[in-house]
Amino acid sequence: MTFEFVAAELGYLMPEILLLTLACVVLLVDVYLPEQLRNLTYQLTQGALIGSALMVVATYPESRMVVMSGMYISDPMAAILKLFILSIVFFVFIYSRDYLRDRGLLKGEFFVLGLFATLGMLIMVSAHSLLLVYLGLELLSLSLYGMVAMQRESHQATEAAMKYFVLGAIASGMLLYGMSILYGVTNSLDLSVIAQGINANTVSKTMLVYGLVFIVIGLAFKLGAVPFHMWVPDVYQGAPTAVTLFISSAPKIAAFAIMMRLLVEGLGDLQSHWQGMLVLLSFLSMGLGNIVAIAQTNIKRMLAYSTISHVGFLMLGVIAGTSKGYGAAMFYTLVYTLMSLGSFGVILLLSRAGFEAERLEDFKGLNERNSWFAFIMLILMLSMAGIPPLLGFWAKWVVLTEVIQAGYLWLAIFAVIFSVIGAFYYLRVIKMMYFDKPEDTTAINPQMDMQVALSANGLLILGLGIVPQLLLSLCFGAMGV
């Protein structure tokens, strides 16, 4: 193996290598920084994300490349998802800075754990081996457990971290057990070899389906699908809002990526088996998520159940089982993360030292307090409800189109019914912002970077809703459509 060959293979891993290196630099620099220079940690972290994003662009693959002895894959889907993950985490850190400072949590640990979680997500997106999938997943999960527990004096945060850790460990065990069965049956960790073994019909179908069940359970937990959703509302409510913002956005992209890698690329010939499982998960998630969200008075819990319902919609594209269906699911995932990012960003905007804007009542009269950010929240809520011409409408439209073409008309009808039910709790927030009198008249004066980022977030959803083809063609192109 020549030096040039090794260098060429390592070139594909440069975004991950650079992010790992800079995360270690941030970790070491932060130890020696005096408190008044703590902002330097934030700036280095954002620099690391920008550098990694530029490296993804520089190494953008024209075609599908499998390197590092079949462990790592570089393809257009991976590059696009990585760019979105890095961009979203960049925005998360902008939104979080003032919130963390007000609560004495603006420490290097938040940014370092955030960078390592992001590294885990990048690894998951490009994993082409069961080993690498699990390595990326655990790096992400362990970082998130630490982030949830950062607010040590909060009993609610500690309880949320314990629940997340225990349930996460069970789900990881399930996934690992499923992977070990696949390895035992096919004698390989490489997803291509596993796919070839299934295709050649040389392995036990019964054992494969048995392993598949455990893998789907593990994936359903990471996505927060019913009935493996128990952790979502408790963790969203208990964690500091900055951490909830992190958990609710970029990790969903990584979870979609490993669903594609494992189910579609590795276990594509078992499609008839996992389709049925996903249909059940999707139906339950859309139903329970939208109905239970109506009863919530805490907006973080409401958005948690909203997330569960969106996961059900996301699965519709994968259930379709076609390249266009997978492209639609990818489009839905990216749109959802943008909407979730903005929604929790507004909650952070309204929070201040000694006050958490967690109740729905905290949004009363927002239009009188700051009409611009009320308008941004209006865009976000209408988009989540799937009202045209906003981006959320097109996301629902494309997955429903694909699932109907795949012959699941009944599932699409139920999805529309559940969407109509779900529109209620989004419209309730809008009603409170525009028609109720404010309970709190404190002025909203965020930092300029927060104002610009949150405005761009809302306007991007409005703009892409008018020309959805820009993002849609990118997603379909990544799937080879």
Side-chain angles (χ1 to χ4, degrees):
M1 193 179 287
T2 64
F3 173 78
E4 289 82 6
F5 179 77
V6 173
E9 292 225 327
L10 283 176
Y12 292 107
L13 275 78
M14 280 312 294
E16 287 85 353
I17 292 170
L18 180 66
L19 189 60
L20 173 61
T21 307
L22 293 176
C24 293
V25 169
V26 171
L27 178 63
L28 290 170
V29 168
D30 184 74
V31 173
Y32 298 101
L33 276 181
E35 193 60 42
Q36 60 270 27
L37 292 177
R38 186 66 65 198
N39 211 38
L40 183 60
T41 305
Y42 166 79
Q43 290 162 354
L44 283 172
T45 302
Q46 297 293 57
L49 293 169
I50 293 169
S52 299
L54 291 174
M55 197 59 73
V56 171
V57 174
T59 57
Y60 191 92
E62 291 301 318
S63 58
R64 179 187 167 95
M65 293 287 293
V66 179
V67 295
M68 305 305 289
S69 303
M71 291 191 76
Y72 183 95
I73 183 167
S74 178
D75 60 4
M77 183 186 90
I80 292 165
L81 294 182
K82 284 178 187 178
L83 278 174
F84 266 87
I85 286 169
L86 291 163
S87 304
I88 283 165
V89 174
F90 182 85
F91 273 76
V92 167
F93 288 152
I94 291 175
Y95 293 170
S96 304
R97 185 171 53 159
D98 290 345
Y99 177 92
L100 295 169
R101 184 187 290 118
D102 290 342
R103 284 151 189 79
L105 296 173
L106 190 66
K107 299 170 183 172
E109 289 90 331
F110 179 83
F111 297 112
V112 171
L113 286 171
L115 287 178
F116 280 118
T118 307
L119 177 63
M121 289 185 260
L122 299 192
I123 291 170
M124 287 162 71
V125 166
S126 279
H128 195 252
S129 156
L130 297 179
L131 193 64
L132 210 57
V133 167
Y134 193 72
L135 187 71
L137 185 62
E138 285 307 287
L139 182 54
L140 168 64
S141 299
L142 292 170
S143 300
L144 292 181
Y145 303 151
M147 290 173 83
V148 173
M150 266 186 67
Q151 203 169 3
R152 284 176 294 183
E153 66 279 4
S154 166
H155 296 300
Q156 207 177 22
T158 309
E159 182 189 340
M162 284 296 291
K163 284 180 180 173
Y164 194 18
F165 175 70
V166 172
L167 292 171
I170 293 169
S172 292
M174 293 280 191
L175 190 65
L176 195 58
Y177 186 50
M179 288 177 174
S180 67
I181 292 171
L182 286 186
Y183 174 67
V185 173
T186 62
N187 203 28
S188 177
L189 294 169
D190 188 316
L191 291 174
S192 294
V193 177
I194 291 170
Q196 287 163 12
I198 298 169
N199 191 38
N201 220 14
T202 56
V203 293
S204 165
K205 260 296 170 50
T206 308
M207 289 305 292
L208 282 171
V209 174
Y210 189 57
L212 173 66
V213 170
F214 286 98
I215 283 176
V216 170
I217 289 171
L219 290 174
F221 176 89
K222 296 302 173 187
L223 280 163
V226 176
F228 310 101
H229 67 289
M230 302 80 69
W231 63 275
V232 181
D234 291 342
V235 171
Y236 275 38
Q237 182 181 359
T241 309
V243 178
T244 307
L245 167 61
F246 193 102
I247 294 171
S248 72
S249 51
K252 295 293 181 281
I253 299 177
F256 164 76
I258 60 167
M259 183 188 277
M260 289 296 299
R261 299 296 184 208
L262 289 175
L263 298 186
V264 178
E265 294 181 17
L267 304 170
D269 285 315
L270 297 178
Q271 183 177 313
S272 58
H273 296 282
W274 55 251
Q275 253 179 341
M277 298 178 203
L278 293 189
V279 165
L280 181 62
L281 292 172
S282 174
F283 177 78
L284 291 174
S285 299
M286 290 186 292
L288 185 132
N290 279 314
I291 292 167
V292 179
I294 292 171
Q296 305 307 312
T297 55
N298 181 297
I299 193 162
K300 285 164 72 177
R301 281 189 84 85
M302 187 197 90
L303 289 174
Y305 283 105
S306 162
T307 296
I308 293 165
S309 71
H310 283 293
V311 165
F313 266 96
L314 181 163
M315 286 181 175
L316 293 179
V318 183
I319 289 165
T322 61
S323 295
K324 283 191 80 174
Y326 303 142
M330 179 177 166
F331 179 66
Y332 198 99
T333 307
L334 299 180
V335 171
Y336 163 73
T337 51
L338 287 173
M339 296 187 299
S340 182
L341 179 73
S343 301
F344 281 102
V346 175
I347 298 173
L348 287 172
L349 177 83
L350 297 183
S351 302
R352 57 182 185 277
F355 175 73
E356 300 283 344
E358 290 187 353
R359 301 176 310 131
L360 285 172
E361 286 74 18
D362 296 328
F363 282 77
K364 283 185 174 179
L366 180 58
N367 186 49
E368 291 181 26
R369 294 172 64 195
N370 190 309
S371 57
W372 174 248
F373 287 115
F375 172 66
I376 295 296
M377 192 62 169
L378 170 75
I379 291 171
L380 293 161
M381 290 294 102
L382 289 178
S383 183
M384 278 199 165
I387 307 295
L390 297 166
L391 196 52
F393 166 76
W394 297 111
K396 283 185 166 65
W397 176 270
V398 290
V399 291
L400 288 171
T401 303
E402 294 308 319
V403 85
I404 288 169
Q405 288 180 358
Y408 291 93
L409 178 62
W410 68 271
L411 188 59
I413 291 169
F414 274 109
V416 172
I417 292 168
F418 290 137
S419 278
V420 172
I421 294 169
F424 169 79
Y425 56 86
Y426 297 121
L427 295 174
R428 180 172 58 187
V429 176
I430 295 168
K431 177 255 180 191
M432 286 181 168
M433 290 193 303
Y434 282 90
F435 300 106
D436 290 359
K437 290 293 176 190
E439 291 184 358
D440 179 9
T441 54
T442 310
I444 301 170
N445 296 311
Q447 298 277 355
M448 182 54 72
D449 58 350
M450 173 76 161
Q451 288 189 45
V452 171
L454 198 50
S455 300
N457 193 169
L459 294 175
L460 185 66
I461 287 166
L462 181 61
L464 285 175
I466 295 166
V467 279
Q469 208 56 41
L470 290 175
L471 185 55
L472 199 52
S473 58
L474 201 65
C475 296
F476 282 163
M479 296 296 168
V481 177

